[in-house]
Amino acid sequence: MGWFIVKRLTSLIPIVLGISFITFILIYLIPGDPAVAYLRMSNIPPTDEAVTALRVELGLNEPLYIQYLEWLGKVLQLDLGMSYVSKNAVWDEILLHLFPTIQLTGASLIFIVVISLPIGIISAIYKGKFVDQFSRIVAFVSVSMPSFWFGFLLIYLLSVKLDLFPVLGRGTLAHLVLPSLTLAFGYIGTYMRLLRASMLENLNEPFVMYARARGLRQRLIVSRHVLKKSLLPVITGLGMSLGNMLGGAVIVETIFAWPGMGQLFVTSILNQDYPMIQGCVLFMSVIFVVCNLLVDIMYSFLDPRIRWEGEK
Amino acid sequence: MLLKRSNLFRSFVGLLVMFTIFVAGCSNTTKDQENASDKEKTKVVTFSWPGDIGDLNPHTYFPNEFFSQAMVYEPLVYYGEGGEIQPWLAESWDISKDGKEYVFHLRKDVQFSDGSPFNAEIVKKNFDTVLDNRKQHEWVELINQIKSTEVVDEYTFKLTLNNSYYPTLQELTYVRPLRFVGEAAFPDSQNTFKDGLKSPIGTGPWVLTEYKKNEFAVFERNEQYWDTKPKVDKVVVKVITDGESRVLAFEKKELDFIFGNGVISQDSFQFLKNSGKYETKLSEPTATRTLLFNTNNEATKDRKVRLALNHAFNKQAVIDNIFYGMEEKADTLFPPVLDYTKINVDPYEYDAAKAEQLLDEAGWKKVEGKPFREKDGKELQLELLFNSTDNIQKSIAEFVQGDFRKLGIDIKLISQETNTFWTTAFEGKYDLLFTSTWAVPFDPHSYLAAITTDSENGSPDYTALLGLPKKKELDQKIKKVLLTTDEKERKMLYTDILTTLHEQAVYLPISYQSNVAVYHKNISGVDFLPQEVEVPLTSIDVK
């Protein structure tokens, strides 16, 4: 097991290096000049002299590979540079906005797991029955309803009309419910149906027949054998979604005035705040890679075959 | 039941409990209760703003907001009702006969919020740091005109100008950059423009006490304030970017009032008004919503095309359908009620036939079987740039697109967020730009002065008008009108300038805009202030 993790971790190094290089290059593909953007943000007219002087100061006159290596060296020390707009360290800004996003993502995950797993299991067992039909409708609504509309509906009904939750902003636990439910809603339908399909497939496997032949009760077969195996695709999906959600849910964050990563990223792009954009992209990519790693590790827990393959 | 005794069920529950604890741990459940008991003792009003309040530095621009700067910092003189200049931090002033020397007698009972004294010394220091960065404030002509600043005695400050400049007092009322921070606010370099402030210390009625970037800001009443103190103890400004979310938060009573221009859509305003549950108010016309033509581009360079579009625009339909009749139709760049802005010209009335005729004359002809007019094989396509965060510009832009299509003009809508919008606007990458004048006290003189300067903090109109044949002459006249001491000549020059702008049809004025206010019935004192950008927080009270 330990060997498996070490192996996966070492394979991350080239991936992360690759990401860092692409992130760095991306900035040069965005139209516009970082030096001009910096001057604009600082309310300094971007005259030719000012731009030239600043290019030297920011090291933008060096060859690209030297710039990259210098930048990489700083990144390794967790120094992502300074925001052009707020003049704070990029890393501090990210940390400031990361926490609300983790909160939102965590709560959304609860909603996804708590709602979609039971319904998925039940609709697989009672295939074609009322529960299954109902879950199908829920799934359709969930994947096709845009989150901004669902968010407003929730606010209007649960907050303005029934006065159960605050409309927006951060603060108490109650503030968290509506945005996280809105964010979760789009995923719920997917996972519900994904689990159902995967369960149905596995229910027809020979090992289920064998277990029945051994006289095991249906309950035990489903919970101990089928479910465990059926969770694999769901976990892969959740790992991806987790990466997505941690990257920030721009629309949900805008509706609910939730100051998370999504808002930070979008404002940085709008402000042409180059170091901030670079920092955000790099950070999100790393989060994504780490989420995938975690999924892989969980996989090997659930399915020993993967673990054995790794140790061969 | 089905999964009752299984391991998976147990781990599932475990996960659930873990997350719940985690999330509960993240948040502060007692905060609301505290706030509730707080509210009984202290009076709090909450409102929202589309963006962060910025770094509260009166000597800089982006990302500062006018309203928050005006809450903390004060001017020497105040722009009062009807443009009357009132004493403020200066209780009186003398102007020399040649109009070049201004001596201000400062109030003696003013303190900064940190208790430090307000005197001529600190006034000079603030002036000097602004003057050190003259280039950045080019759009304020006064800054270019200041020759020297001088401390006469502890409470007397003297300003000497290069020329007699008639809007001097008016420009001193501006929210930025000539307002005052306390000694302790200055950075080590003393350059507030480059290095920002150590902390926001002003003389104004409000003090910033709590601030979470992009979330909220809390201002408390300045207990040492020299003038009438605000009626409420605290103002909470929440950052809400979305207009519809703002309306819902207001309905839920999480906001006490909505105030400003373009902060909610006209539909929402109408909905809130018709519900009868809230108080609504509309201010007198402040600034002009207008389209600006880029005179450097092929189609819009032609005066006939500009005239055609002026005649093709059905303003009344926009006012009736988008503004529900709440705004007044605009015929000239500035509302005629301002000083010097009443000019005698024929408005460009809506006349589709005339517009078609003008387009034909300009060489843009209809082609059989094609939806758009063409000239030398090129389609008549115009890019209309507007600000996507303004809830009203979008509705009008879409209306224009549909209306102009009937005449064979293809309007391509380009919507950008505030910052990118301004960058593109300054670069002149558009045919039509959605803009507005600056309202009093800036209109008309500062708005016109900005047309003549190619400055970052000026206006995009400078670049847009470069294609005019008489641009240089126009600029010279604007510069002259600001310095003339002869009232008669000034009037004549203004008439001349505004008539030229009207005849050249470089603007397409739509309507005179108003501020809106919507508030709950337990709130009082939501009155519009003479300066459009100020929010009436000192007069607001909660029952």
Side-chain angles (χ1 to χ4, degrees):
Chain A
M1 188 65 206
W3 180 240
F4 173 76
I5 295 175
V6 170
K7 210 173 143 189
R8 287 291 287 113
L9 274 177
T10 37
S11 73
L12 280 188
I13 294 171
I15 296 179
V16 172
L17 269 180
I19 291 173
S20 75
F21 185 68
I22 293 169
T23 316
F24 181 78
I25 287 296
L26 263 184
I27 295 303
Y28 288 86
L29 300 178
I30 302 178
D33 183 344
V36 174
Y38 181 91
L39 292 171
R40 278 234 168 81
M41 291 303 113
S42 315
N43 292 299
I44 301 169
T47 56
D48 287 344
E49 307 94 74
V51 171
T52 322
L54 189 71
R55 289 183 72 85
V56 174
E57 197 185 316
L58 295 176
L60 293 168
N61 53 339
E62 306 269 0
L64 210 56
Y65 72 95
I66 294 189
Q67 283 187 46
Y68 172 65
L69 289 179
E70 276 180 3
W71 178 74
L72 189 66
K74 281 188 189 157
V75 168
L76 288 177
Q77 300 163 42
L78 288 184
D79 174 8
L80 293 172
M82 181 193 80
S83 159
Y84 286 176
V85 178
S86 67
K87 310 276 190 287
N88 291 333
V90 169
W91 184 239
D92 291 346
E93 291 271 327
I94 288 181
L95 286 186
L96 190 73
H97 289 82
L98 180 65
F99 188 66
T101 296
I102 292 183
Q103 228 179 336
L104 188 62
T105 308
S108 303
L109 262 188
I110 296 179
F111 277 118
I112 296 174
V113 172
V114 171
I115 298 174
S116 63
L117 293 200
I119 300 185
I121 297 166
I122 293 168
S123 54
I125 295 170
Y126 301 104
K127 184 186 162 203
K129 299 275 166 50
F130 171 75
V131 184
D132 190 24
Q133 302 292 355
F134 179 72
S135 83
R136 192 191 307 266
I137 296 169
V138 174
F140 272 135
V141 176
S142 142
V143 292
S144 46
M145 198 191 266
S147 60
F148 69 87
W149 191 41
F150 184 67
F152 281 134
L153 283 182
L154 281 185
I155 298 183
Y156 187 70
L157 291 175
L158 299 183
S159 187
V160 177
K161 288 286 151 192
L162 298 175
D163 199 15
L164 296 174
F165 300 101
V167 174
L168 37 79
R170 258 183 89 222
T172 64
L173 191 60
H175 281 99
L176 193 56
V177 177
L178 296 187
S180 53
L181 188 59
T182 308
L183 184 58
F185 189 65
Y187 294 99
I188 284 171
T190 316
Y191 291 117
M192 209 157 43
R193 300 308 281 178
L194 194 64
L195 182 62
R196 175 187 174 274
S198 150
M199 289 244 330
L200 283 179
E201 203 179 293
N202 288 327
L203 276 171
N204 291 326
E205 292 270 326
F207 74 85
V208 175
M209 219 200 302
Y210 176 65
R212 285 216 177 96
R214 270 169 38 210
L216 287 182
R217 275 166 305 170
Q218 170 80 353
R219 186 163 74 197
L220 217 60
I221 298 174
V222 171
S223 64
R224 192 162 289 173
H225 300 285
V226 178
L227 184 58
K228 205 167 168 185
K229 188 154 182 285
S230 309
L231 277 178
L232 286 181
V234 175
I235 285 175
T236 319
L238 273 181
M240 299 278 208
S241 308
L242 189 67
N244 275 338
M245 289 196 282
L246 284 175
V250 179
I251 293 171
V252 175
E253 286 182 5
T254 307
I255 297 173
F256 291 95
W258 195 268
M261 286 295 288
Q263 293 234 15
L264 177 71
F265 192 39
V266 171
T267 19
S268 320
I269 293 175
L270 297 177
N271 291 339
Q272 290 175 304
D273 191 348
Y274 287 81
M276 205 71 226
I277 302 173
Q278 248 171 359
C280 285
V281 173
L282 184 69
F283 186 77
M284 288 176 195
S285 328
V286 171
I287 289 239
F288 209 82
V289 171
V290 170
C291 283
N292 267 303
L293 174 74
L294 292 179
V295 167
D296 279 359
I297 294 171
M298 262 178 109
Y299 246 56
S300 63
F301 269 114
L302 287 171
D303 191 344
R305 286 173 299 181
I306 296 169
R307 192 159 67 215
W308 294 332
E309 219 164 89
E311 281 166 9
K312 255 181 223 166
Chain B
M1 276 58 44
L2 182 75
L3 302 165
K4 204 170 182 180
R5 259 165 281 161
S6 75
N7 287 335
L8 258 161
F9 182 69
R10 248 177 268 147
S11 51
F12 176 74
V13 171
L15 191 76
L16 190 66
V17 171
M18 249 168 59
F19 269 124
T20 319
I21 291 170
F22 168 70
V23 172
C26 296
S27 50
N28 181 0
T29 21
T30 54
K31 207 172 174 180
D32 250 13
Q33 293 154 5
E34 273 172 26
N35 281 351
S37 61
D38 261 9
K39 248 186 185 165
E40 287 164 18
K41 282 178 262 152
T42 54
K43 284 185 181 178
V44 184
V45 286
T46 308
F47 79 112
S48 77
W49 205 250
D52 192 65
I53 58 158
D55 42 12
L56 276 185
N57 181 344
H59 303 151
T60 63
Y61 306 88
F62 179 82
N64 281 287
E65 292 288 340
F66 278 112
F67 90 90
S68 52
Q69 288 172 314
M71 284 171 81
V72 178
Y73 307 105
E74 295 182 294
L76 285 178
V77 286
Y78 187 75
Y79 189 89
E81 215 53 64
E84 188 204 342
I85 305 292
Q86 294 174 353
W88 207 255
L89 291 180
E91 52 191 1
S92 64
W93 54 90
D94 309 313
I95 307 170
S96 69
K97 272 212 178 108
D98 62 359
K100 289 185 185 177
E101 282 178 15
Y102 285 73
V103 177
F104 293 95
H105 306 285
L106 307 178
R107 296 189 67 94
K108 298 186 174 99
D109 54 352
V110 180
Q111 277 186 357
F112 283 98
S113 57
D114 66 342
S116 61
F118 172 81
N119 52 30
E121 204 65 59
I122 197 79
V123 169
K124 180 178 162 56
K125 191 167 179 175
N126 274 276
F127 264 88
D128 290 348
T129 188
V130 171
L131 293 175
D132 280 344
N133 300 287
R134 244 179 239 259
K135 190 96 187 106
Q136 276 77 42
H137 308 293
E138 230 181 357
W139 68 278
V140 187
E141 183 56 29
L142 173 62
I143 307 260
N144 305 324
Q145 294 295 341
I146 294 176
K147 192 174 167 192
S148 67
T149 57
E150 193 188 318
V151 176
V152 179
D153 62 47
E154 196 181 353
Y155 293 106
T156 312
F157 170 74
K158 188 169 141 193
L159 201 61
T160 311
L161 309 179
N162 292 321
N163 299 291
S164 154
Y165 177 61
Y166 93 87
T168 298
L169 289 174
Q170 198 164 336
E171 293 192 357
L172 285 173
T173 67
Y174 290 3
V175 173
R176 55 207 191 190
L178 291 170
R179 292 200 176 187
F180 310 97
V181 301
E183 180 65 48
F186 278 88
D188 295 335
S189 67
Q190 307 299 318
N191 190 334
T192 52
F193 193 88
K194 255 175 96 185
D195 299 310
L197 302 184
K198 275 188 175 159
S199 61
I201 300 167
T203 57
W206 301 100
V207 183
L208 181 73
T209 50
E210 210 186 332
Y211 169 60
K212 209 157 190 192
K213 197 181 166 188
N214 289 332
E215 276 189 57
F216 64 87
V218 180
F219 293 88
E220 275 177 36
R221 183 168 56 198
N222 178 2
E223 294 302 342
Q224 323 198 35
Y225 190 51
W226 58 273
D227 198 18
T228 318
K229 290 198 181 92
K231 298 194 170 78
V232 295
D233 305 86
K234 250 189 205 180
V235 172
V236 180
V237 188
K238 288 187 180 174
V239 178
I240 301 176
T241 36
D242 188 81
E244 301 309 318
S245 300
R246 182 172 299 119
V247 172
L248 287 168
F250 171 75
E251 285 187 84
K252 176 78 195 309
K253 277 203 153 188
E254 282 181 27
L255 300 179
D256 290 309
F257 66 98
I258 294 172
F259 190 93
N261 163 17
V263 287
I264 55 172
S265 66
Q266 300 285 356
D267 283 322
S268 301
F269 181 77
Q270 207 62 18
F271 165 78
L272 292 172
K273 189 178 170 193
N274 292 342
S275 77
K277 285 189 270 183
Y278 316 105
E279 300 287 337
T280 53
K281 260 190 194 170
L282 206 62
S283 77
E284 290 285 306
T286 52
T288 315
R289 294 177 203 284
T290 175
L291 295 180
L292 167 66
F293 291 98
N294 188 343
T295 59
N296 305 300
N297 292 0
E298 202 198 324
T300 41
K301 200 175 2 182
D302 192 338
R303 177 170 167 259
K304 278 192 172 146
V305 172
R306 300 198 298 264
L307 274 177
L309 292 176
N310 260 295
H311 283 298
F313 194 106
N314 192 347
K315 293 175 197 175
Q316 203 52 51
V318 166
I319 289 164
D320 292 342
N321 297 306
I322 296 176
F323 297 125
Y324 301 102
M326 290 187 307
E327 293 199 353
E328 217 175 293
K329 182 170 144 240
D331 290 323
T332 47
L333 180 59
F334 298 107
V337 292
L338 304 182
D339 292 345
Y340 312 112
T341 57
K342 198 171 162 49
I343 51 169
N344 201 0
V345 290
D346 292 329
Y348 301 121
E349 297 294 353
Y350 173 58
D351 185 346
K354 194 164 184 188
E356 300 219 29
Q357 185 201 333
L358 281 161
L359 285 171
D360 282 336
E361 282 171 26
W364 296 97
K365 304 250 156 109
K366 276 194 168 150
V367 186
E368 268 307 306
K370 286 193 181 165
F372 303 114
R373 288 169 183 269
E374 283 184 9
K375 182 180 182 179
D376 307 327
K378 259 183 102 178
E379 272 190 356
L380 182 51
Q381 190 194 58
L382 302 175
E383 291 188 349
L384 168 56
L385 176 66
F386 66 96
N387 186 338
S388 64
T389 51
D390 189 307
N391 286 306
I392 289 162
Q393 292 194 355
K394 186 166 170 260
S395 323
I396 299 179
E398 281 164 357
F399 182 90
V400 169
Q401 186 181 41
D403 226 26
F404 280 14
R405 177 176 270 266
K406 290 182 210 150
L407 299 174
I409 307 164
D410 183 12
I411 297 286
K412 198 174 147 201
L413 297 184
I414 302 186
S415 117
Q416 292 179 339
E417 302 269 342
T418 313
N419 204 16
T420 332
F421 168 83
W422 285 114
T423 311
T424 318
F426 275 103
E427 283 168 354
K429 288 182 185 157
Y430 58 86
D431 296 301
L432 283 160
L433 177 76
F434 214 120
T435 181
S436 67
T437 61
W438 297 349
V440 292
F442 306 106
D443 285 347
H445 76 276
S446 275
Y447 190 87
L448 290 177
I451 295 184
T452 66
T453 49
D454 178 20
S455 160
E456 277 296 300
N457 298 314
S459 76
D461 308 41
Y462 172 81
T463 321
L465 302 189
L466 281 178
L468 280 185
K470 287 184 187 164
K471 166 81 170 142
K472 269 207 178 126
E473 206 182 304
L474 186 71
D475 284 0
Q476 272 159 5
K477 276 184 194 160
I478 293 174
K479 291 211 155 111
K480 199 169 159 199
V481 79
L482 298 174
L483 297 181
T484 177
T485 44
D486 180 2
E487 179 73 21
K488 226 175 173 184
E489 193 193 7
R490 192 182 301 153
K491 225 173 209 164
M492 220 175 65
L493 278 167
Y494 267 124
T495 307
D496 189 6
I497 294 161
L498 295 175
T499 309
T500 309
L501 289 175
H502 182 81
E503 278 170 0
Q504 285 297 326
V506 282
Y507 293 94
L508 199 171
I510 302 168
S511 65
Y512 301 124
Q513 68 186 25
S514 300
N515 268 349
V516 300
V518 187
Y519 49 100
H520 290 285
K521 295 207 158 145
N522 64 333
I523 303 287
S524 60
V526 189
D527 303 317
F528 297 103
L529 295 171
Q531 285 213 38
E532 188 204 27
V533 293
E534 281 186 90
V535 182
L537 293 163
T538 37
S539 60
I540 283 180
D541 199 2
V542 198
K543 255 175 255 160

